[in-house]
Amino acid sequence: GGLPPESSFLLHTFGNMRLAAALSLSLLAGASGRKKWWENAEPDDTLGCGKCKVAVMRLLVPFPKGCAGSNGTVIKSTAADRAASAYCESLFPPKMKRQCVVYSFGVDNNLDFDKAMLARKDPAGVPIGCRVMSFDPFCCGAAHVLATNHQFAPVGLATYDGLMEAGTEQGNVSFPVFTLRTLMSSNEDPKLDALRLKVSSALEWKGLKNLINLGTIQEIRQLSLNLQFKDEDMWEEYRLILTSLRAAGFVPFYVAKQPQASYLQVQEGSFQLYSSYEVAYGNVNVR
């Protein structure tokens, strides 16, 4: 039992540095009356793959309710193969109350979101940057401070604390992983104002599902997700996880397909389904 020595050392180090985080959902009580087709996003569990895809497409339609007063603040992408991401300013705490806290997993050498969280300013131009923790076991070197209020740790997010075996693309090495609760606890962060995740592999989708099932998702005010639908055998699972995310109070307010996304031959009205997106969600339960 217990954590491997490498993991214990890393967690102790991150706790001392006040690091946090890790890798890598129908509360639309809107106007009364008849629902529009995209609000009927919870079809039967017995539906086939084609209808699961339609359901996923419906679940990705943005709604203003996800971010009160706006469609979010767009963060320009510095990479040609990445769509712009976004965040909801009204979901951050007032400056006088406390400093906002952001965890970002699966950095993959792109810190656009992380840097935007550091650079936030109020309407008068006064800096109100967040404390940001960036995590990725396969980039960016050892644990280090990137800037004031910005720290990096080479760990992954998982459903347990310990070591995980990487795939062949990463050289079959083992790397430390932690649950989000462990990382938040070690950094004394009871809540997160924003959580950035890459959700691509089956393990990463399982990680998102775990956050929902354990209720950890309710400790997060907004999500910034790089969503990828890579596995043709997982459409039922994709549907169930996104439906659960919606049921947990998370409503998308910003959706953009990735530049290299493939059209998946699913269309309803003016909406089409693609293989990958940037999606920003607001937690309507925090209001």
Side-chain angles (χ1 to χ4, degrees), residues 25 41 43-53 55-56 59 159 199-213 227-246:
L25 275 190
D44 257 19
D45 287 348
T46 57
L47 292 176
C49 174
K51 291 188 177 180
C52 286
K53 290 181 179 179
V56 167
L59 286 159
T159 59
V199 187
S200 175
S201 68
L203 275 175
E204 290 166 345
W205 279 96
K206 181 180 179 181
L208 177 58
K209 183 179 182 178
N210 186 66
L211 293 179
I212 300 165
N213 290 345
L227 288 182
Q228 300 180 30
F229 306 106
K230 289 184 172 182
D231 194 335
E232 191 65 25
D233 296 328
M234 283 189 62
W235 281 101
E236 175 67 3
E237 187 73 356
Y238 295 150
R239 182 188 73 79
L240 288 172
I241 293 172
L242 293 182
T243 299
S244 297
L245 187 57
R246 178 71 60 87

Side-chain angles (χ1 to χ4, degrees), residues 126-191:
V126 177
I128 50 172
C130 301
R131 176 164 57 85
V132 180
M133 317 294 183
S134 301
F135 302 86
D136 195 315
F138 304 115
C139 88
C140 313
H144 62 284
V145 176
L146 292 167
T148 302
N149 287 322
H150 190 188
Q151 295 169 313
F152 171 81
V155 303
L157 187 62
T159 59
Y160 61 93
D161 299 326
L163 293 175
M164 180 178 288
E165 189 77 18
T168 55
E169 292 182 5
Q170 290 82 29
N172 296 312
V173 298
S174 296
F175 61 95
V177 294
F178 300 101
T179 67
L180 187 58
R181 284 193 186 278
T182 295
L183 289 164
M184 291 172 65
S185 176
S186 69
N187 290 280
E188 300 180 0
D189 292 321
K191 302 283 184 182

